[in-house]
Amino acid sequence: MIKSLRGMNDILDENESKRFTYFLDVAQNIARRYGFHYIETPLLEETALFKRSVGESSDIVGKEMYQFIDKGNNDVCLRPEGTAGVVRAFIQKKLDKAGGIHRFFYHGPMFRYERPQKGRLREFHQFGVESFGIESVYEDANMIMMVSDILKELGIGYRLQINSLGDNNCMPQYRDTLVSYIESIEDEICEDCKRRKSTNPIRVLDCKNEKCQSLYENAPKLLHSLCESCDNDFEKLKKILDANDISYEVDTNLVRGLDYYSKTAFEFVSDNIGSQSAIAGGGRYDRLVEFLDGRPTPAVGFAMGIERLLELIQMPQESREGYYLGAMDEEAVDTIITLTHKKRATDKAVCEYKAKNLKNHLKGADKMNAKYCCVIGTNEMSEGIIWVKDLEKKTEKTIFLKDF
Ligand code: HAM
């Protein structure tokens, strides 16, 4: 038997797929309310796009890419995340040259060759948004408010962690200070951190190795080295969140796993889903458009991991909906098909193709959670009527077929 690949799941269990589509309905509605519109980009992109954006020093590019040479000898890669493709599309469509504000949302599968475990898949789904053209920290707060609104509407509790990663003014100086610190403890840190020291030193702060973590507790903090502009923005961000009742923790070690961030970085975590607790993450990436050969454009965004949210979603009470139609005699089946087709112009309607007795039709209607069970036999047909039971109110009546 051929099975799905390791770390790649089907979403077919009714309970799970209902949650999945409910999540998308809620998230898309909220994104539209915030003035974002849908963008779709290809799953496959040139490998160079991710190398240059997500960064060669990141685990994603270093270890986790689904990368291959296609039949045309192109080095391509299944997207490990959504931001790079959206930025590529933004530049390719010359929206950077057009200027103005452009706000997009997207959802779809992402691919990372990670070690699968609960909450960590090789193919997973993200819902994300990207906003271009706004330098103001108000837009950073807007992103955080949007995630918070989505989680609130889904009944999901969270902890929000925020940090600032500085900009071109303050980051290089901080990087030098950090490198000196790393050199002072170099004998004690893990091999990954030794590599990070030369590729992207701030990523050491994100190391999961416990010994490294304790060594970095005394490392110089970027938040203490921010330039005036970054510091003002970070203070302002905290004020906006306070004023809008969004609680947060400042996590000076939050550096995010992708290289393109500057200034605001944030992560939403859940304490109820085990070790893979990040349910959303994002931040500002003001240098990325220019880095991918576009006109310099400030940008900020986030992505949420849909699979990690599924078990946390509080589904609204489901009410009975639509029509179940069934025939009691073979001769009535054609009529049922036509009536069902007519009903579907305005309502949900499902019909049973096999003739059955009333009891079995009632069972079928109940199973699909229909509001009405409508049944017809040869007797009803000759009288031009159909029997209808309202399964919510527990009332029944007959209706003329012409009025149905
Ligand atoms: P990220 O933090 O790499 O950010 O991923 C966002 C979310 O995707 C995570 O918080 C997590 O919920 C989910 N996720 C990541 N990896 C996996 C996995 N292997 N299995 C299941 N879920 C996973 C980004 O991808 C950025 N593009 C976010 C962004 C958008 N920043 C700015 N704009």
Side-chain angles (χ1 to χ4, degrees):
M1 185 179 57
I2 298 171
K3 292 191 178 165
S4 65
L5 298 174
R6 199 162 161 245
M8 300 201 175
N9 284 352
D10 304 302
I11 300 171
L12 96 176
D13 168 63
E14 199 180 331
N15 193 20
E16 210 176 30
S17 69
K18 263 188 196 157
R19 285 161 186 272
F20 193 94
T21 51
Y22 176 63
F23 168 82
L24 283 179
D25 286 346
V26 168
Q28 293 183 97
N29 274 337
I30 291 178
R32 284 195 196 96
R33 269 189 241 155
Y34 273 74
F36 284 67
H37 78 265
Y38 186 67
I39 183 171
E40 177 77 34
T41 63
L43 302 195
L44 208 56
E45 299 269 7
E46 267 187 49
T47 300
L49 173 66
F50 302 109
K51 284 197 172 164
R52 277 170 67 184
S53 54
V54 177
E56 306 246 17
S57 78
S58 67
D59 285 351
I60 296 178
V61 169
K63 307 179 191 165
E64 299 168 359
M65 300 248 273
Y66 274 89
Q67 184 184 353
F68 60 96
I69 305 296
D70 74 5
K71 293 193 169 94
N73 224 15
N74 305 298
D75 188 349
V76 295
C77 179
L78 281 171
R79 64 181 184 191
E81 58 102 53
T83 310
V86 175
V87 173
R88 194 239 345 107
F90 174 80
I91 298 168
Q92 195 171 332
K93 281 273 182 289
K94 301 192 169 43
L95 299 178
D96 55 331
K97 311 262 177 336
I101 295 169
H102 303 271
R103 290 175 162 134
F104 303 103
F105 72 85
Y106 54 88
H107 56 84
M110 308 292 159
F111 302 84
R112 296 184 191 175
Y113 198 84
E114 296 193 75
R115 195 172 46 77
Q117 65 176 84
K118 184 177 176 320
R120 187 159 73 193
L121 294 157
R122 288 181 173 168
E123 182 187 22
F124 59 98
H125 294 77
Q126 282 186 347
F127 172 84
V129 317
E130 312 296 347
S131 164
F132 297 94
I134 304 178
E135 213 174 339
S136 162
V137 71
Y138 284 116
E139 188 68 345
D140 307 26
N142 211 23
M143 299 289 112
I144 291 175
M145 288 195 245
M146 197 190 315
V147 182
S148 161
D149 283 355
I150 294 171
L151 294 175
K152 231 182 255 166
E153 189 147 334
L154 296 168
I156 299 177
Y158 64 80
R159 277 187 302 116
L160 165 64
Q161 299 168 334
I162 58 170
N163 193 16
S164 174
L165 300 178
D167 63 7
N168 268 346
N169 275 327
C170 46
M171 178 47 108
Q173 213 175 331
Y174 170 73
R175 201 181 289 125
D176 291 346
T177 322
L178 184 63
V179 169
S180 307
Y181 179 80
I182 300 171
E183 277 165 356
S184 73
I185 52 166
E186 196 155 0
D187 294 344
E188 299 169 76
I189 60 179
C190 72
E191 288 307 309
D192 275 345
C193 281
K194 283 181 186 153
R195 186 175 48 80
R196 287 173 187 135
K197 191 196 93 180
S198 44
T199 52
N200 188 1
I202 64 158
R203 292 287 328 278
V204 303
L205 300 175
D206 196 30
C207 180
K208 301 289 174 277
N209 182 308
E210 273 177 29
K211 187 168 175 220
C212 292
Q213 271 304 333
S214 68
L215 288 166
Y216 300 136
E217 263 167 32
N218 299 323
K221 306 278 181 252
L222 176 55
L223 267 191
H224 301 151
S225 320
L226 294 180
C227 60
E228 202 182 338
S229 147
C230 290
D231 194 42
N232 287 345
D233 275 355
F234 195 60
E235 290 307 312
K236 181 76 186 173
L237 176 68
K238 290 193 283 182
K239 277 205 184 105
I240 306 169
L241 297 179
D242 288 337
N244 287 282
D245 293 328
I246 296 179
S247 27
Y248 56 85
E249 302 154 14
V250 174
D251 179 352
T252 48
N253 283 353
L254 177 71
V255 295
R256 310 272 301 125
L258 308 94
D259 287 356
Y260 47 62
Y261 294 109
S262 54
K263 293 194 161 183
T264 305
F266 58 87
E267 232 162 58
F268 285 74
V269 294
S270 163
D271 293 326
N272 302 315
I273 49 169
S275 67
Q276 299 305 305
S277 58
I279 49 179
R284 187 159 273 285
Y285 51 95
D286 289 342
R287 291 178 306 228
L288 185 56
V289 175
E290 185 180 9
F291 203 62
L292 291 175
D293 305 323
R295 184 171 287 176
T297 308
V300 57
F302 70 78
M304 311 177 79
I306 304 181
E307 281 85 352
R308 290 188 189 171
L309 295 170
L310 290 184
E311 66 180 271
L312 300 170
I313 293 175
Q314 312 271 326
M315 292 292 282
Q317 189 78 31
E318 245 186 70
S319 51
R320 291 189 171 276
E321 185 201 2
Y323 292 78
Y324 168 100
L325 292 96
M328 287 194 290
D329 306 291
E330 279 301 328
E331 295 86 331
V333 172
D334 284 358
T335 309
I336 282 297
I337 304 284
T338 306
L339 289 172
T340 309
H341 186 218
K342 193 173 138 194
K343 259 294 167 235
R344 282 187 192 133
T346 50
D347 290 282
K348 177 179 174 187
V350 175
C351 66
E352 168 59 57
Y353 301 143
K354 277 197 195 128
K356 290 180 178 175
N357 65 25
L358 186 59
K359 198 173 145 208
N360 281 331
H361 280 313
L362 282 165
K363 262 194 207 157
D366 192 47
K367 198 168 167 212
M368 71 158 255
N369 214 18
K371 186 162 189 309
Y372 301 103
C373 177
C374 314
V375 177
I376 193 169
T378 41
N379 286 347
E380 286 78 10
M381 264 175 59
S382 64
E383 289 177 46
I385 56 171
I386 183 164
W387 178 85
V388 177
K389 178 160 185 178
D390 183 326
L391 296 172
E392 223 165 57
K393 295 187 183 138
K394 312 267 186 252
T395 55
E396 50 186 84
K397 60 182 173 186
T398 52
I399 298 177
F400 284 115
L401 289 179
K402 64 179 173 50
D403 301 327
F404 185 73

